[in-house]
Amino acid sequence: MAKPKQSGTSVWQGFENDTGWTSNGLVFLMGLINVNYGFAGLDGAVHLAEDCSNAASAIPLALASAVGIGFTTTLVFIVAALYCVKDVKAVVNSPTKIPLYEIWFQATQSKTAATVFVILIAVLWLFTLIGVQQTASRLTWAFARDGGLIGSGRLQKIDKTLKLPVWAMGRNSKLLSKPDVFHLGRAGWIPNLVTVAWACFELGIYNLPVELPVEAGNMNYTAAVLGAIALFITLNWFFHGKFHYSGPRLDFLHHIVQEGFSSERD
């Protein structure tokens, strides 16, 4: 790594606010979205719970592992990056529009090394798309199976040859496992309450513009995206869901499970 490095005081006590917002506390809370990337796949295991033969133990273990691994790797990377970054403004205003490239360049003083590191991360992103497609398609298929989506009749179909929910646009394993239930007993309300409270908090904070004054180039369009999603959910419910959706259809899943086992025996 190139020298000189940032001092410990700068890394652990320094705070720069060039956003235009006057409240450092608010800027700190808005900045938490960067940390969230270290836990982006946390909910993936929950969406695949029905495909686990031992969901009661496997899902909590997967969630705890994701938090532990995400926290450790994110903390190590962030601390190393802060010690190596020499010019924060250059990172923010990088001509490549890829701040991570500028971080690597300042750390190594080598365009070749920075390019290689960014390519490696891009390759990792491609592999993570497999998990994203699997989780998203599984979620879409499960909701369609329960009659909750417009076009559920087609989306819930599983190709007999590929054994995949092709119409749900993704991958899915064979549904041969018996669903299980996991719970925390009387303590369950605590994580549920924290989850709902945190979701409401994020919904407000992460929709704020990250820079003032607001222009087309620095506008936070999250509100527009969430608005479109909310509109679709509303229309889907009033024109389809309220007439066809009545909750998870576990009997449908059991039928597939039994059918799968019967096919295997044959």
Side-chain angles (χ1 to χ4, degrees):
M1 293 292 181
K3 295 182 179 181
K5 300 292 188 299
Q6 293 287 352
S7 65
T9 302
S10 176
V11 171
W12 297 103
Q13 299 181 21
F15 190 91
E16 294 190 29
N17 178 8
D18 297 322
T19 63
W21 291 93
T22 57
S23 172
N24 288 339
L26 178 61
V27 172
F28 171 80
L29 294 175
M30 292 168 60
L32 290 177
I33 192 172
N34 297 294
V35 182
N36 282 3
Y37 285 108
F39 307 93
L42 183 61
D43 62 331
V46 177
H47 299 318
L48 299 175
E50 287 185 354
D51 295 322
C52 295
S53 58
N54 58 336
S57 56
I59 300 304
L61 178 60
L63 295 176
S65 299
V67 172
I69 295 172
F71 173 79
T72 303
T73 55
T74 301
L75 179 64
V76 171
F77 177 80
I78 290 297
V79 172
L82 290 176
Y83 272 105
C84 294
V85 170
K86 302 175 181 63
D87 187 350
V88 176
K89 289 184 173 57
V91 173
V92 176
N93 301 313
S94 174
T96 64
K97 304 300 180 182
I98 306 176
L100 187 58
Y101 174 88
E102 182 64 26
I103 292 176
W104 284 119
F105 174 69
Q106 292 187 25
T108 62
Q109 292 298 300
S110 170
K111 292 183 178 180
T112 301
T115 301
V116 170
F117 281 127
V118 170
I119 291 176
L120 288 175
I121 292 177
V123 172
L124 290 176
W125 284 343
L126 292 177
F127 282 105
T128 60
L129 286 178
I130 297 175
V132 171
Q133 289 292 341
Q134 180 186 18
T135 302
S137 64
R138 181 62 176 79
L139 191 60
T140 302
W141 176 86
F143 200 29
R145 175 201 65 194
D146 300 336
L149 284 176
I150 295 175
S152 293
R154 185 178 294 264
L155 289 174
Q156 68 176 307
K157 290 183 178 180
I158 297 179
D159 187 272
K160 295 181 179 180
T161 302
L162 299 175
K163 305 296 183 183
L164 298 174
V166 177
W167 290 104
M169 300 178 295
R171 296 190 174 193
N172 186 31
S173 59
K174 294 181 180 179
L175 302 178
L176 302 178
S177 302
K178 183 179 179 180
D180 205 343
V181 179
F182 53 94
H183 56 82
L184 297 176
R186 295 182 177 179
W189 67 271
I190 299 177
N192 290 334
L193 179 62
V194 172
T195 300
V196 173
W198 180 254
C200 293
F201 166 77
E202 284 184 324
L203 192 62
I205 292 294
Y206 293 167
N207 278 280
L208 296 175
V210 296
E211 187 177 347
L212 296 178
V214 179
E215 300 176 354
N218 60 25
M219 172 61 183
N220 184 353
Y221 291 95
T222 305
V225 175
L226 292 179
I229 295 175
L231 178 61
F232 171 77
I233 292 174
T234 302
L235 295 176
N236 180 78
W237 171 251
F238 282 105
F239 289 97
H240 178 84
K242 66 182 299 184
F243 304 109
H244 302 280
Y245 180 72
S246 58
R249 294 173 53 193
L250 295 181
D251 59 325
F252 182 89
L253 181 62
H254 291 160
H255 172 72
I256 294 179
V257 171
Q258 294 173 357
E259 188 179 71
F261 282 128
S262 298
S263 299
E264 282 191 340
R265 293 192 185 100
D266 296 341

